[in-house]
Amino acid sequence: MTATHPFKNPAYLHSSLSMLLFFASWGIWWSFFQIWLTSKDSGLGLSGSMVGTVYSVNSLVTLLLMFGYGAAQDRLGSKKHLAILVAAVSTLVGPFALWVYQPLLQTHFMLGVVVGAVVLSVAFLAGVGLLEALTERFSRRYGFEYGQARMWGSFGYAMVALAAGFLFTINPMINFFAGSAFGLLHLLLLVFWPAGDTQLTEGSHQQLSTSSTPGLRDMLGLLRLPSLWLIIVFVMFSWTFYTVFDQQMFPDFYTGLFASQETGQQVYGVLNSVQVFVEAAMMGVVPLLMRRVGVRTALLLGVGIMFFRILGCALVDDPVLVSAIKMLHAIETPLFILPVFRYFTLHFNPALSATLYMVGFQVSAQVGNVLLSAPLGWLHETTGYRTTFLLIAAVVLLAGIYGYFTLKKDREQVPGDPFLRHREPVA
């Protein structure tokens, strides 16, 4: 079974459909989550500092949960127990939002924030890292390209984002209950369709059999590696700042550029969908690009595009220009996420890939969100979007410079799976 015929690979089909349904379940409500929190007409009307508190606590709970998810999944190998848990909780997001989350946020704010953080992290915010790590593990075990499976997640997000803006203007709760419906489909897929039992690719059986199941000492030992801390710092000052910008601030900023909030929400839904469709296509293209330019260069390109997108939003306020700038997200996200994954399996022990991805990427990003969401929310309230965006852009630029000097080259310190470019001979 080879990566050149992915649709003949049952494990690829299973992983791709799992990604599609999970991101559909998440994206149908998450793409408008910030607007739901802030909108006075169709949402809760929370202040910027309160929204920052929601995101900070979400990130704190996600951070704690990801340690457990990563360690447990590395112990489980390719078993789907945790993925089934994620899907099961995601089926409850609609009833939870209507009868628990919204009432608590309106009457007992901090209790609602904490309870919501637990449920949303188990099902989505930490669940996404778990499912991505599991899919990456399947890709190495069953011989398909991880990016080609992950792109179906982007397609799922794009399809629901197209409808999300129109549903949101009718009633935001429709979005949450649609998330439950997709979550149920995802749960049925995981329970009734086995992912494995396909022919292993040549060499993969040897790789998996010789890699012992990692113990707790191996996982904790990762934190003693200076090279891991270098990438953690890089992620915190690039992806984390960008995430706060993109999730916590951009939706409200963008919808505010239109004559009415309702029009802005509908246009944002369409634009978000188009952007994610392009992002999905790029998930298939970026692995080919990495073969041309290398993992490290692709990662630095992603940070460069990240910087230009944030800076562009700080300098212009025309809806058409801002829409064009938002489309850079479709290129930047695959150029960051896919090289980060490959960087870990290249420069670290692949048997610990789930823990590495959780700790080195997802956890470090969540630490940054815990520390930054509330202060940046306060800064936006105090100084406005322009100053906040300029500050975030400056930090991301410095992170890119830092990464240029600290990220390891593709042939430097390779205890993991070697990475070969096109026309590059095997060492």
Side-chain angles (χ1 to χ4, degrees), residues 272-285:
N272 210 33
S273 180
V274 173
Q275 170 244 297
V276 183
F277 270 118
V278 177
E279 177 184 318
M282 291 301 298
M283 285 287 181
V285 172

Side-chain angles (χ1 to χ4, degrees), residues 85-132:
L85 170 65
V86 166
V89 179
S90 72
T91 63
L92 303 175
V93 67
F96 170 74
L98 178 60
W99 291 305
V100 180
Y101 196 33
Q102 178 172 292
L104 284 179
L105 287 177
Q106 292 173 327
T107 58
H108 300 83
F109 177 71
M110 282 309 303
L111 178 60
V113 168
V114 173
V115 173
V118 172
V119 174
L120 299 185
S121 295
V122 169
F124 301 101
L125 305 181
V128 61
L130 170 74
L131 291 174
E132 286 176 334

Side-chain angles (χ1 to χ4, degrees), residues 377-393:
W378 172 85
L379 181 64
H380 148 244
E381 268 194 335
T382 305
T383 64
Y385 283 117
R386 179 183 174 87
T387 301
T388 308
F389 289 175
L390 286 173
L391 174 64
I392 295 175

